[in-house]
Amino acid sequence: MGFRKKNKSPPVLSHEFVIQNHADMVSCLAMIILLGLMFEVTAKFAIMFITVQYNVTQVLGEKSDPVNLYQYGPKDVATVFFYLLIAVILHALIQEYILDKMNRRLHLSKTKHSKFNESGQLAAFYLFSFIWGCSILTAEDFATNPTFLWEGYPHTHMVFQVKFFYVCQIAYWLHALPELYFQKVRKEDIPRQLYYICLYVVHITAAYFLNLHRLGLVLLVPHYLVELLFHASRLFYFSDENKQKGFTLWALLFVIARLLTLTLSVLTFGFGLPRTENQGFSLAEGNFNVLTIRMTCLAAICLTQAWMMWKFINFQLKKWREHSQSQASKKKAVSPKSKPHKREPTRGGAANGVVKSEDKTSPRARKAKAS
């Protein structure tokens, strides 16, 4: 990790050296880009990394003031790269000053330690993105007019907050790929994390490139809320295993979010976009409103939601089996005590070790009978 005090310094440029000092290296690279603003020769290149590009000034009405809107272009790659560096630095800061200190107090196992770090990082990101996305949606009229998802397509112009939101989202999920190496993620966990990282990168980038940023933003906000609740519940569970009420609420909201995602996607691609005036394919105009692309996007969303529901059902079944097994083991451990039985008299009339005879005659009479 970066920003840590090490007792032993590994060989320079070795794997351990890069892992321990990756945040310091990234910080130096980001500082070099920022220092480029100080010189006239390099300022033109440094601005391309730091500021949002492709701004367009438009006048929406005759009496209104001009408004700065933004488009996307190839220079956005440089902007995404710079904010990817910032995401790596913030990741190291959260890990060093928050998560590592909590881990020392909890004394978790290696498996729980890795999951705790993953949930801590994602919970912080989901919380920030959810608040930011809600602040953007409050400026839109989606709550009263859902048709803004497809009206006026293609939506080639974005306000600053929307474009910067997408740049930061793409940068964060791209930074998660090298973090698999920097954080020494276990081999068993790498495929699972690669799945959802790649899904985020593909879906968010597609919404940005296909000018579907309105739909993407509306779908991301409730999804991030559900994921925030899950990872927050998992953090509480690691601190105290009795705190599991958050998972019940998460399960309910998870199903609602999946239904909402499918409903809005079908409305947009199945009913809204086919009825708009601008039909056709044009890279120059940013118009991708053709049947092939619409059906491909809808199929990708539906398959992703189906995969998530399948994972969710398997997770719930696994938890139910573990709960039933634990309940069965508790019942076996606490079995009812058997009642003590009365002692039966021994054969031959023996009771308590004393032989009792029913013959009440004297010993002399018995001898006489025997003779």
Side-chain angles (χ1 to χ4, degrees):
M1 283 310 153
F3 310 111
R4 293 183 181 179
K5 295 180 181 179
K6 299 95 181 175
N7 297 325
K8 295 181 180 180
S9 57
V12 180
L13 297 181
S14 62
H15 289 287
E16 194 64 28
F17 178 85
V18 174
I19 291 172
Q20 289 185 2
N21 300 278
H22 74 275
D24 301 324
M25 298 178 185
V26 172
S27 300
C28 293
L29 182 57
M31 286 299 298
I32 292 172
I33 296 174
L34 290 173
L35 288 174
L37 296 172
M38 301 176 61
F39 305 99
E40 186 176 357
V41 179
T42 58
K44 296 179 181 179
F45 300 97
I47 290 175
M48 183 175 62
F49 285 89
I50 299 169
T51 60
V52 178
Q53 304 293 311
Y54 302 104
N55 59 316
V56 178
T57 303
Q58 284 190 349
V59 180
L60 301 178
E62 297 180 356
K63 298 181 180 180
S64 61
D65 297 330
V67 179
N68 287 327
L69 300 176
Y70 294 84
Q71 297 175 324
Y72 65 80
K75 291 182 181 180
D76 290 340
V77 176
T79 310
V80 169
F81 174 75
F82 177 77
Y83 288 99
L84 183 151
L85 302 179
I86 301 301
V88 172
I89 298 170
L90 293 176
H91 189 114
L93 288 172
I94 294 173
Q95 184 68 42
E96 173 67 17
Y97 294 105
I98 300 177
L99 298 179
D100 284 350
K101 291 182 178 180
M102 296 175 67
N103 277 318
R104 294 189 193 101
R105 294 180 180 179
L106 296 174
H107 303 288
L108 301 174
S109 62
K110 290 184 178 180
T111 304
K112 290 184 177 180
H113 178 84
S114 176
K115 292 182 178 180
F116 184 87
N117 290 337
E118 179 189 2
S119 292
Q121 295 287 348
L122 290 175
F125 169 74
Y126 288 137
L127 177 62
F128 175 76
S129 298
F130 173 71
I131 296 174
W132 191 3
C134 287
S135 67
I136 297 174
L137 287 179
T138 53
E140 302 289 345
D141 56 348
F142 169 70
T144 58
N145 183 23
T147 58
F148 97 106
L149 292 174
W150 56 81
E151 281 185 350
Y153 184 86
H155 308 135
T156 55
H157 296 91
M158 299 170 278
V159 296
F160 172 80
Q161 289 292 335
V162 173
K163 174 157 186 176
F164 192 48
F165 177 84
Y166 272 92
V167 167
C168 292
Q169 293 293 313
I170 297 171
Y172 179 86
W173 290 113
L174 286 177
H175 112 280
L177 294 173
E179 286 293 344
L180 297 176
Y181 169 72
F182 294 146
Q183 298 295 328
K184 291 184 178 180
V185 177
R186 299 186 310 162
K187 292 182 180 180
E188 309 88 66
D189 295 335
I190 289 178
R192 176 182 59 83
Q193 295 191 28
L194 273 177
Y195 287 149
Y196 71 74
I197 290 171
C198 293
L199 284 174
Y200 276 116
V201 172
V202 171
H203 283 75
I204 295 174
T205 305
Y208 183 66
F209 179 75
L210 297 176
N211 291 315
L212 296 169
H213 50 83
R214 294 184 182 180
L215 177 64
L217 185 61
V218 170
L219 297 183
L220 276 177
V221 170
H223 175 74
Y224 280 171
L225 174 62
V226 175
E227 293 299 308
L228 170 62
L229 181 60
F230 172 75
H231 289 284
S233 300
R234 195 156 75 160
L235 291 175
F236 285 114
Y237 172 76
F238 288 141
S239 62
D240 185 0
E241 293 186 357
N242 295 323
K243 298 179 179 178
Q244 300 186 21
K245 294 181 179 179
F247 291 109
T248 305
L249 179 60
W250 163 74
L252 177 62
L253 293 180
F254 183 90
V255 177
I256 295 175
R258 303 287 72 80
L259 294 175
L260 179 64
T261 300
L262 291 174
T263 302
L264 293 178
S265 300
V266 172
L267 283 175
T268 303
F269 294 109
F271 299 97
L273 290 176
R275 298 179 182 180
T276 58
E277 297 179 357
N278 296 325
Q279 301 285 330
F281 177 82
S282 175
L283 282 174
E285 298 178 358
N287 190 1
F288 303 95
N289 192 7
V290 292
L291 179 62
T292 305
I293 295 179
R294 290 199 305 266
M295 291 299 101
T296 302
C297 293
L298 183 60
I301 294 174
C302 292
L303 289 175
T304 303
Q305 302 307 305
W307 178 76
M308 293 175 69
M309 281 299 300
W310 175 254
K311 299 287 288 184
F312 173 77
I313 293 171
N314 287 335
F315 175 78
Q316 295 297 329
L317 289 175
K318 181 180 177 182
K319 297 295 290 184
W320 178 77
R321 288 169 188 161
E322 292 176 353
H323 179 71
S324 60
Q325 289 176 359
S326 64
Q327 293 295 327
S329 61
K330 288 180 180 179
K331 289 181 180 179
K332 289 181 180 179
V334 186
S335 58
K337 295 182 179 179
S338 58
K339 296 182 180 180
H341 298 283
K342 295 182 179 180
R343 292 185 180 182
E344 296 179 356
T346 58
R347 292 181 180 179
N352 298 326
V354 179
V355 178
K356 293 182 180 181
S357 177
E358 295 180 355
D359 192 0
K360 297 181 179 180
T361 58
S362 63
R364 290 182 181 181
R366 288 198 298 269
K367 287 181 180 180
K369 287 181 181 182
S371 59

